[in-house]
């Protein structure tokens, strides 16, 4: 199994944001919760210094 990278998380976030934008009247509570989690994970990864 390949490790999940920040790029994978960014791609998943983009897909979910597109889904929510295209279906605003649908109940997408779980997707919205996942968006919050992904945003926090991405922000945390971007704040950490990168290993050389």
């Amino acid at each position: 199994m390949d490790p999940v990278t920040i790029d994978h998380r960014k791609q998943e976030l983009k897909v979910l944001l597109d889904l929510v934008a295209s279906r605003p009247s649908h109940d997408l509570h779980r997707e919205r919760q996942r968006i919050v989690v992904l945003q926090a994970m991405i922000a945390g990864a971007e704040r950490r210094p990168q290993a050389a």
Side-chain angles (χ1 to χ4, degrees):
M1 181 179 241
D2 294 330
V4 176
T5 66
I6 194 68
D7 291 332
H8 291 114
R9 290 185 176 120
K10 287 180 179 181
Q11 180 60 34
E12 181 183 357
L13 177 60
K14 180 185 179 317
V15 169
L16 289 173
L17 290 171
D18 290 345
L19 175 67
V20 170
S22 69
R23 299 177 181 178
S25 62
H26 285 72
D27 178 21
L28 300 171
H29 181 73
R30 294 177 76 192
E31 288 81 356
R32 291 175 194 275
Q33 287 180 321
R34 181 66 179 158
I35 287 169
V36 171
V37 170
L38 288 169
Q39 288 173 328
M41 293 171 83
I42 292 167
E46 291 176 346
R47 280 194 300 267
R48 278 192 310 238
Q50 297 297 320

